[in-house]
Amino acid sequence: MNVVESLRALIGEKAVLDAADVATRSAGVWRPDNLQAAALARPANTDEVAQIMRWCHANKVAVVTQGGLTGLVHGSDAAPEQVIVSMERMRGIEEINPQQRTATVEAGVTLQALQEAVEEHQLMFPLDLGARGTATLGGNAATNAGGNRVIRYGMMRDMVLGMEAVLADGTVVSSMNHLIKNNAGYDLKQLFMGSEGTLGIITRLVLRLREQPVTRNMAFVGLDNFDHLASFLRHMDRALGGTLSAFEVMWQDFYRLVTTPPAKGNPPIAQDYPYYALVESQGADLELDTLRFNNAMESAYESGLIVDAAISQSETDCHHFWELRDDVEQVMHGGLPIIFDISLPVEEMEKYSAGLQDNLPAAIGEHKLYIFGHLGDGNLHVAVQVKPEDYLRLRPIVEQQVYSPLAAFQGSVSAEHGIGLEKKPYLHISRSETEIALMRNLKTALDPQGILNPGKIL
Ligand code: ZN
């Protein structure tokens, strides 16, 4: 049995790369290494994905689905004997229906391509994250991506109305629902969302679109204590009457990192506050929205919730503010970062971060600690930067330090990046034995031979 020849016979000569060609491709945006696999198949449509899966199922060959390779948890790593199914040729936006406010897309469409395509209909697809230009919608669904606007629109699973997926044995489950409400039995698409390619291959999606906001007001805010940060979030959400669209936070070290060279950004306000918040409001009335936003900011200042703020005067300012938040790559400068995406109750965040600051020096010695994230969603990103030569040795110690305190208050080891290979040893911190057993049952039911993304999550 020759994998490459067999797959070529099914979907065409050029559509399948052999192991040597695969090895010339990068393993991803965050990765220094190249891909490896027995073959990389590039199907053009769902039927070809089904043919590949029927063959792999019959021959017990493991399959790893890949999208934009922007993941952070080794969720789409492939081994030399496995087959990669890349969605790179399935990039069609099949339909945008402005009345129903839906888009029908193939799984390989990038997030940014869809965001731009719906703009001309005065609509928007609200999922947004730094990797928008490369990350694919199929990957966003398979990992249930989060990002910057979860506070208003939810995560990817809240934006998917319909889905088509190919099961391990090649069965196509087409569930391309266009309705917002459909309670006719189990919501099957939710099974595949966040399953990281272990239960099926997502091939097409029906996505829910929203009206495009026409106004945007933003502020970069300095605060002198954490309690004020949590109160300021509630104050803005209440005062803005439903138009709050982002509430991002930065601890001082991260703010300094992204506003000091070699970072390109300039600090909009002084660099010596312990906490910073980036607030965004999106609405539809230029005059009233700005008035309401400025009033909300003014009352926050007068009541002492915030001590300093830069308020956007233009779209350029807004763009500049977001560039600072999105400049996460700065954590790569001067060392290697170990990056986390934890969830925890807002009222535990201050104690939790102080604990990390106290305990890390004794545990790992010299390092840099950066904390930032989506406060409104209870999701913090923690980046612990260490010397490259210490990375492998320190990594498990850092993981232990970051994850173990979460168990005490039912926090999550993954708010949005998923489990992949990286967090498998820590899944039990966030999921009970009963939950993990049910996950295993589902996996066995849908993929009895265990050929879909083997070894990931469970
Ligand atoms: Zn995030």
Side-chain angles (χ1 to χ4, degrees):
M1 171 199 76
N2 181 312
V3 180
V4 175
E5 290 312 316
S6 305
L7 294 178
R8 280 181 175 161
L10 292 173
I11 65 167
E13 181 84 20
K14 283 191 194 143
V16 181
L17 308 185
D18 63 16
D21 286 336
V22 174
T24 63
R25 289 188 164 206
S26 160
V29 181
W30 295 88
R31 303 277 297 269
D33 52 332
N34 278 5
L35 289 177
Q36 48 175 359
L40 183 146
R42 307 185 302 136
N45 52 51
T46 304
D47 181 55
E48 291 188 357
V49 177
Q51 289 186 52
I52 294 166
M53 287 317 300
R54 275 196 292 274
W55 186 90
C56 289
H57 191 254
N59 292 284
K60 296 191 169 58
V61 172
V63 172
V64 177
T65 313
Q66 294 187 344
L69 296 175
T70 59
L72 286 158
V73 295
H74 294 258
S76 56
D77 283 13
E81 72 283 4
Q82 298 176 340
V83 168
I84 293 172
V85 173
S86 166
M87 305 312 279
E88 66 198 48
R89 285 174 69 211
M90 295 184 61
R91 290 195 190 277
I93 297 178
E94 296 174 5
E95 187 200 24
I96 294 170
N97 182 333
Q99 295 307 321
Q100 187 71 8
R101 292 185 287 192
T102 57
T104 307
V105 300
E106 291 185 313
V109 174
T110 65
L111 173 55
Q112 189 170 351
L114 179 67
Q115 286 176 333
E116 288 172 2
V118 303
E119 260 172 30
E120 63 175 292
H121 303 279
Q122 286 80 53
L123 291 167
M124 79 157 168
F125 182 63
L127 187 79
D128 196 37
L129 36 88
R132 60 183 78 77
T134 315
T136 63
L137 292 161
N140 292 154
T143 58
N144 185 31
N148 296 334
R149 301 234 160 73
V150 175
I151 192 170
R152 179 136 159 209
Y153 299 101
M155 295 179 74
M156 183 67 172
R157 69 167 76 252
D158 301 299
M159 305 171 197
V160 178
L161 297 175
M163 177 187 289
E164 182 178 81
V166 177
L167 302 183
D169 64 0
T171 306
V172 178
V173 181
S174 191
S175 185
M176 296 292 277
N177 169 67
H178 281 69
L179 308 171
I180 290 181
K181 302 174 84 168
N182 185 350
N183 270 350
Y186 297 158
D187 192 352
L188 295 173
K189 65 179 184 287
Q190 294 295 346
L191 261 183
F192 300 97
M193 239 97 68
S195 73
E196 302 182 42
T198 62
L199 300 181
I201 299 181
I202 298 169
T203 49
R204 292 164 72 224
L205 294 159
V206 182
L207 300 168
R208 182 179 185 179
L209 306 175
R210 305 290 184 141
E211 292 302 322
Q212 176 83 59
V214 290
T215 72
R216 174 147 81 154
N217 289 279
M218 289 184 76
F220 224 111
V221 179
L223 303 98
D224 56 9
N225 72 57
F226 187 86
D227 286 343
H228 285 172
L229 198 54
S231 305
F232 179 54
L233 164 63
R234 288 201 54 196
H235 166 80
M236 291 305 279
D237 204 2
R238 197 168 54 240
L240 290 173
T243 62
L244 180 69
S245 51
F247 192 95
E248 297 291 307
V249 295
M250 299 176 183
W251 269 234
Q252 185 188 72
D253 286 341
F254 184 81
Y255 180 72
R256 287 189 177 175
L257 178 75
V258 296
T259 55
T260 307
K264 289 192 195 77
N266 297 312
I269 53 178
Q271 289 180 318
D272 45 13
Y273 304 112
Y275 302 99
Y276 294 83
L278 178 62
V279 195
E280 182 193 70
S281 157
Q282 291 183 316
D285 187 319
L286 199 54
E287 222 166 294
L288 285 179
D289 289 342
T290 303
L291 186 67
R292 186 162 53 174
F293 188 82
N294 291 347
N295 283 344
M297 288 296 297
E298 212 170 288
S299 56
Y301 186 75
E302 278 165 7
S303 62
L305 276 183
I306 63 176
V307 286
D308 197 358
I311 295 179
S312 66
Q313 303 298 320
S314 63
E315 263 301 299
T316 315
D317 288 347
C318 294
H319 189 72
H320 171 62
F321 289 171
W322 272 119
E323 271 183 345
L324 298 178
R325 168 58 183 85
D326 284 343
D327 198 10
V328 179
E329 277 172 48
Q330 292 304 325
V331 302
M332 311 281 285
H333 280 292
L336 268 186
I338 307 164
I339 299 171
F340 301 91
D341 64 311
I342 53 169
S343 262
L344 67 168
V346 172
E347 67 265 29
E348 304 286 351
M349 284 180 181
E350 188 185 17
K351 202 165 73 187
Y352 174 86
S353 66
L356 273 184
Q357 280 157 349
D358 289 346
N359 297 331
L360 277 176
I364 61 167
E366 201 189 319
H367 68 281
K368 290 199 177 97
L369 172 65
Y370 301 111
I371 304 176
F372 56 100
H374 321 285
L375 185 87
D377 318 330
N379 171 196
L380 290 182
H381 290 299
V382 173
V384 181
Q385 194 197 67
V386 298
K387 291 196 199 106
E389 60 269 29
D390 295 334
Y391 182 85
L392 287 177
R393 181 175 61 84
L394 295 181
R395 182 174 182 111
I397 307 172
V398 173
E399 288 177 340
Q400 205 58 48
Q401 292 285 332
V402 170
Y403 290 140
S404 47
L406 296 174
F409 37 79
Q410 283 89 48
S412 177
V413 298
S414 177
E416 54 182 7
H417 295 167
I419 296 297
L421 287 177
E422 197 171 292
K423 299 179 194 167
K424 247 169 60 163
Y426 305 99
L427 184 62
H428 67 275
I429 292 176
S430 304
R431 297 293 191 191
S432 68
E433 267 174 47
T434 323
E435 286 176 299
I436 293 172
L438 179 54
M439 288 184 202
R440 281 189 203 286
N441 284 342
L442 286 168
K443 170 72 177 169
T444 311
L446 283 162
D447 180 17
Q449 301 195 111
I451 61 168
L452 279 172
N453 212 8
K456 311 294 164 48
I457 304 181
L458 297 167

